[in-house]
Each structure stands twice: as structure tokens, then as C-alpha cells.
Amino acid sequence: MSGSPLMPVEEAICRLLAMGETQRVLESEQVPVAAARQRVLANDLLATLDLPPWPNSAMDGYALNLDGWNGQPLPVSQQVFAGQAPEALVPGTCARIFTGAPVPRGANCVEMQENTDVLDNGCVNFKLPLTEGRNIRAQGQENRAGDVLLKSGTRLGPFELAVAAAQGCTHVQVVRRPRVALLSTGDELIEPGTPLKPGSIYNSNRTLLSHWLSALGCEVIDAGILPDEPHQTRRKLDQLQHAADLILTTGGVSAGDADCLGQVLRECGKPLLWKLSIKPGKPLTVGEFGRVPVIGLPGNPASALVTFGLLARPYLLRIQGVENVEPLSFPISIGFAWPKPGGRREYLRARMEGGRAVLYSNQSSGVLLGACWADGLVEIPEGCTLQAGDTARFIPFNELF
Ligand code: AMP
Ligand code: MG
């Protein structure tokens, strides 16, 4: 595999999604709506109610019946506040009504109070011509009982969960969280909380990825830090294959002597991809070890971030049954020049300023801060040169969560 040309990003995503299709999480569970954010619906969510459940008023005003009415002022026969159940409208009268209140049976129009006068005798004068159905939110105008409101495979965010709540749901049926064993590899790594030793660095990828995994609905199994040693690597993967749906690692996938993880995966596992046409992130390695898929992200924080967002994220959504896993992206005008064509597709940390994308000053794959500064990634295709004002694809970071 090592001598072969670099794999295009699209092909790597296709392979990951095909692998994900065979590794779908099939179990599901009921969880409270309050705890279901970021989870994925296991079944279609069917409406049990018409919404609105009855015709109600869109305005504060007066409900009346236009049939046979000749425009004369009408006496007020009842008051209906939101939350009350009105009587049928007495013929020849109107009802005082407030926003959200059920429209009395027999009324077919609501006029807003601003277009009325209350006369000395208490009757209401309607100042403008009226039409049937005006200011009435019809029963079932949003949905009918029995409608499919949300399809299985829908990711649940605030909007979707509010739709469930509007149906009176306390719980939703969601796909079990994928269990992801998160393993950081590297002799140099130590965890925050221990004093820094010469030559060591703090493990930042673990924090980056455990939060990101949670945001994608996953359960994180913290598998700690693994030294760069092949026997221990094999033993660790062997242990984890029974505990996890996926082993996600960082580091150790380049071609250096200490890069054990990639070696072990290629020698003892079933490699699926290695060496992508992507910058940062070329050494991304994916394979299977025993019964479990392994996604080996490169250790450099920006490489880990880009490859997780663009490649591991769609995989993790697909195993939960999400159909549309592609992040929304759009063409933007760039505020920089790209004079030298690159051999790999580049993803540059950029933010929007004055309607154009500008780059973070340091695009090194070791630099994490640029991601905090940036709003997203500008994609520069292989072999492409660009001038300021040209157009490139932009993927906002918030699309990747
Ligand atoms: P590697 O992919 O193992 O060759 O690592 C590439 C670079 O990323 C090295 O400079 C590592 O020290 C750094 N690195 C690897 N893992 C981590 C991590 N978990 N947190 C922060 N930096 C890391
Ligand atoms: Mg390493």
C-alpha cells in the first residue's frame, strides 16, 4: 500500500461509509426528551395529535361569524383566554378572544382588536372588510395525527426535540450510543495534572476528541495513553476489541520507526486505507482489528481535527443510521492568494472577514489555536492555484459537530 498513489478524500469517505453501513448499531433505547440531544432517532416519530389540536386565534381581538352578517356592530357574548374551552358562539354576537385561545364553534373569522372600536353600548364595531378564516390557525395546519414528523435516522437537536415535546412525548426511541474506545499513542504524552517532564507534552487530542465524540452521540471509553511499543499496542487493541464498537486512536500512523499503531494494524489487522491526499492528515489509517474497526488519526492536533471532522464524523453518524452525513458547505470568495499548486487537497483554517475568507497565520498541523480563531475550513483542491477574489469551498466548523 505504501508505494501506491494517495487516496482522494471522496474515495476514503466512500470506503468509510461503506464500512459504517455494515457496522450499524442496531440496538435502541428509550431516553427522556431532556437527555436526547445529539442522539439519533431509531424509529419514525409519528404524530399522535393534530397540531394545532383545535382552531385557535392568531390575534388578540374578536371572533365572529361572517355568514349572513351585514357589518353591524356586535355585542360580546363571551371571553376566551388561551387555555380555556369556549362555548359555541351565540348567533348575532362576537366573542372577545386572545392569542392561542380556541376559536368558538360557529365563528369563522377573528379580527384584531386594533381594527375595532368598542362603542358606548358595549358592542364592537368592525372598521375594515373581513374575510373568512382570517387570523384563525386551522386545526391540523402544521400536521395531522398519523403523519411522520421525523424519520428514523434523524439527529435530534433543539428543533426536533421541541417537535416531540409538542406531541406530548416525554421519551424518544434512539439508537444506542456507539461505544468508542479513545486511545492516545505516544511516548511523549502525559495527562494534564502531572508535572511536565523534559521531552513530554500534554495530551490535548484526548480532550478534543472526547468532547467531539460526545457531541456526535457517542459514549467514550477512555483507553488512556499507549506507549510506542508494538507488543503493548497489539495487546491493547486485543483488549479493546471486545469493549467497543470502534477504536479511535491518535498518533503512530506515519511511516516513522516509532509509529507502531499503523504497523500493527497493517500486520495484524485488515487495512482499509492509509495515506490520503489530504493536508493536514495524510497518514490517516483505517482498518479492522479482529472484530472491531479502528480509525487511526494522525497525532498532530490539526491533522487529528481535520481528519476526524471530515472522515471519522460521517462514519460515526452513519453507524447510527444517519442518512445525510455530508456537512453543509458553500462557495466563498477568498481574501488570499494560493500561487503554488499542492499535491494534496488542503484544508486551511480560515475565518470570514468582510465577506471573504482569510487564513490563520500559522497553518502548521501542530498548531491547535488556529482552530479556535477560525470559523471553518477552506478547501483547496489538488493542483489548484487561486487569486484573491476567487471562489473556494468553505466548511463551517459548526457543521462538523
Ligand atoms: P505522530 O502522529 O505520533 O507522529 O505525532 C505527530 C505529532 O503530534 C507529534 O509532535 C506528537 O507529539 C503530537 N501528538 C501526538 N499525539 C498527541 C496528543 N494526543 N496530543 C497532543 N499532541 C500529540
Ligand atoms: Mg507518535
Side-chain angles (χ1 to χ4, degrees):
M1 251 176 141
S2 53
S4 51
L6 302 179
M7 186 184 291
V9 173
E10 284 84 9
E11 167 151 12
I13 293 173
C14 276
R15 287 197 187 191
L16 273 158
L17 291 179
M19 179 170 88
E21 208 54 66
T22 68
Q23 290 158 348
R24 291 272 296 270
V25 176
L26 299 175
E27 303 88 352
S28 69
E29 59 188 345
Q30 286 253 314
V31 301
V33 166
R37 178 146 179 252
Q38 319 283 27
R39 304 293 297 274
V40 175
L41 263 189
N43 306 119
D44 292 350
L45 182 78
L46 294 176
T48 54
L49 301 174
D50 285 353
L51 277 190
W54 36 74
N56 71 88
S57 178
M59 289 288 171
D60 294 332
Y62 297 89
L64 67 161
N65 188 337
L66 301 182
D67 298 336
W69 176 62
N70 59 13
Q72 82 276 22
L74 297 172
V76 178
S77 55
Q78 63 175 319
Q79 281 204 90
V80 202
F81 290 95
Q84 294 181 337
E87 306 285 327
L89 186 70
V90 176
T93 72
C94 63
R96 181 77 172 116
I97 195 164
F98 299 94
T99 305
V103 173
R105 202 154 31 80
N108 61 8
C109 173
V110 169
E111 177 57 310
M112 60 198 280
Q113 62 196 24
E114 289 81 350
N115 297 338
T116 63
D117 292 321
V118 179
L119 306 178
D120 290 344
N121 65 2
C123 287
V124 179
N125 180 42
F126 295 87
K127 298 193 283 189
L128 301 176
L130 298 177
T131 49
E132 191 172 325
R134 186 180 164 106
N135 294 324
I136 294 179
R137 301 190 280 218
Q139 177 173 344
Q141 75 166 24
E142 179 164 356
N143 73 267
R144 290 287 181 187
D147 286 353
V148 176
L149 298 177
L150 303 170
K151 301 246 260 188
S152 74
T154 300
R155 290 185 81 195
L156 299 173
F159 303 161
E160 291 75 18
L161 291 168
V163 163
Q167 291 292 322
C169 299
T170 58
H171 289 72
V172 280
Q173 189 76 23
V174 296
V175 177
R176 169 175 69 69
R177 289 183 188 279
R179 295 185 196 104
V180 180
L182 181 57
L183 184 60
S184 313
T185 79
D187 287 341
E188 72 279 30
L189 299 178
I190 57 171
E191 289 299 343
T194 21
L196 198 64
K197 292 180 295 205
S200 51
I201 57 165
Y202 287 118
N203 182 0
S204 57
N205 286 340
R206 187 181 78 99
T207 298
L208 168 79
L209 295 169
S210 59
H211 285 292
W212 207 340
L213 285 164
S214 304
L216 295 173
C218 301
E219 176 188 329
V220 180
I221 302 167
D222 184 3
I225 294 172
L226 184 70
D228 295 311
E229 198 284 311
H231 293 102
Q232 290 188 58
T233 301
R234 201 169 310 150
R235 229 185 12 252
K236 192 69 173 183
L237 295 181
D238 211 25
Q239 266 170 22
L240 291 174
Q241 66 166 312
H242 303 291
D245 298 301
L246 169 73
I247 302 175
L248 180 69
T249 65
T250 59
V253 288
S254 303
D257 291 348
D259 290 320
C260 298
L261 196 111
Q263 283 166 26
V264 167
L265 254 187
R266 284 186 294 278
E267 284 161 20
C268 311
K270 202 165 90 192
L272 181 79
L273 50 101
W274 185 37
K275 292 193 176 169
L276 304 196
S277 176
I278 189 171
K279 186 178 177 185
K282 173 180 153 196
L284 176 80
T285 302
V286 180
E288 283 175 305
F289 186 89
R291 55 161 291 282
V292 73
V294 182
I295 298 182
L297 307 176
N300 273 310
S303 310
L305 185 152
V306 166
T307 50
F308 183 86
L310 297 180
L311 293 127
R313 174 188 173 276
Y315 170 83
L316 287 164
L317 294 178
R318 181 53 57 83
I319 63 173
Q320 296 178 77
V322 179
E323 196 54 46
N324 182 13
V325 297
E326 197 181 332
L328 190 72
S329 65
F330 44 84
I332 39 97
S333 166
I334 58 169
F336 59 91
W338 194 258
K340 273 196 256 153
R344 289 179 273 158
R345 182 175 304 182
E346 301 223 14
Y347 290 93
L348 306 167
R349 280 135 283 156
R351 67 155 66 151
M352 299 303 293
E353 269 175 18
R356 283 189 172 186
V358 293
L359 297 182
Y360 188 64
S361 55
N362 186 341
Q363 295 287 331
S364 158
S365 59
V367 171
L368 190 53
L369 259 181
C372 307
W373 180 91
D375 300 324
L377 299 170
V378 169
E379 182 185 81
I380 311 278
E382 292 90 334
C384 182
T385 57
L386 295 169
Q387 290 173 0
D390 284 351
T391 296
R393 189 162 86 107
F394 185 70
I395 307 169
F397 279 139
N398 57 15
E399 274 296 306
L400 299 178
F401 290 101

